[in-house]
Amino acid sequence: MVQFLFLHPPLLPILLAILSISVISLIDSILKSRSKASKYAQLALEKQNQRDQQLEANPLPKLTISTSLQEKILNSDVFTLLQMLQAHEVTSEDILITYLQRASTIGLDLNLLAETNFQEALAQAKECDRLRKEDPTRCQGVFF
């Protein structure tokens, strides 16, 4: 390659121009990607602020169950949770609040929570508990 450049000196400026254009193009793409990243970072920060305001305006209810029962809920599979519900050991609301507390503490610490629809989920859990009290036979199945 070096011999080729020495044999054809007019090619040297052309090669330098191509190299310069390549470097400028690379720098341009790096700057554009940084700009996109900063836009995404700004959007993420705005979303986190919205989430924090929503959580502050609608705090989670306090758990009224023991710490050991909370741990049992968190370590149980869906079938065990269903058995606990059927035995009236816990309510849907207890299960939900336990998971919400865990999600909010770990999720907030690690910035994993983007959307919080805790109040909607809580209303559904209360409705499930109400239906379970009225007619437990209607509340069959794992997904109930």
Side-chain angles (χ1 to χ4, degrees):
M1 178 75 175
V2 174
Q3 287 178 330
F4 179 75
L5 290 176
F6 287 123
L7 295 176
H8 303 289
L11 289 179
L12 187 59
I14 294 171
L15 290 173
L16 288 175
I18 292 171
L19 181 62
S20 297
I21 291 170
S22 297
V23 168
I24 290 170
S25 176
L26 178 64
I27 290 171
D28 184 54
S29 69
I30 289 170
L31 292 175
K32 284 180 182 175
S33 68
R34 283 187 179 173
S35 175
K36 281 184 182 178
S38 91
K39 286 178 186 176
Y40 289 132
Q42 182 62 34
L43 285 173
L45 185 60
E46 289 173 14
K47 193 67 174 166
Q48 288 170 0
N49 288 335
Q50 289 174 359
R51 174 207 62 203
D52 293 343
Q53 289 172 357
Q54 192 175 20
L55 286 174
E56 194 174 303
N58 299 303
L60 294 175
K62 300 294 180 205
L63 279 168
T64 57
I65 59 175
S66 69
T67 306
S68 62
L69 189 52
Q70 291 172 40
E71 288 301 317
K72 184 176 180 183
I73 289 171
L74 292 170
N75 293 317
S76 294
D77 60 24
V78 69
F79 297 107
T80 305
L81 291 173
L82 180 61
Q83 290 171 348
M84 292 168 65
L85 283 168
Q86 290 170 343
H88 304 289
E89 187 177 347
V90 295
T91 64
S92 298
E93 190 174 353
D94 293 333
I95 294 170
L96 178 69
I97 294 172
T98 300
Y99 278 105
L100 292 179
Q101 292 287 350
R102 179 60 59 97
S104 68
T105 55
I106 292 173
L108 288 174
D109 291 346
L110 299 175
N111 273 329
L112 300 174
L113 286 179
E115 296 289 333
T116 56
N117 60 352
F118 295 161
Q119 298 306 319
E120 294 171 35
L122 191 56
Q124 289 179 354
K126 287 179 181 182
E127 179 65 11
C128 286
D129 289 337
R130 184 187 69 74
L131 291 172
R132 190 174 287 106
K133 281 182 184 177
E134 283 180 5
D135 186 7
T137 59
R138 286 183 38 203
C139 306
Q140 299 300 315
V142 175
F143 292 113
F144 186 85

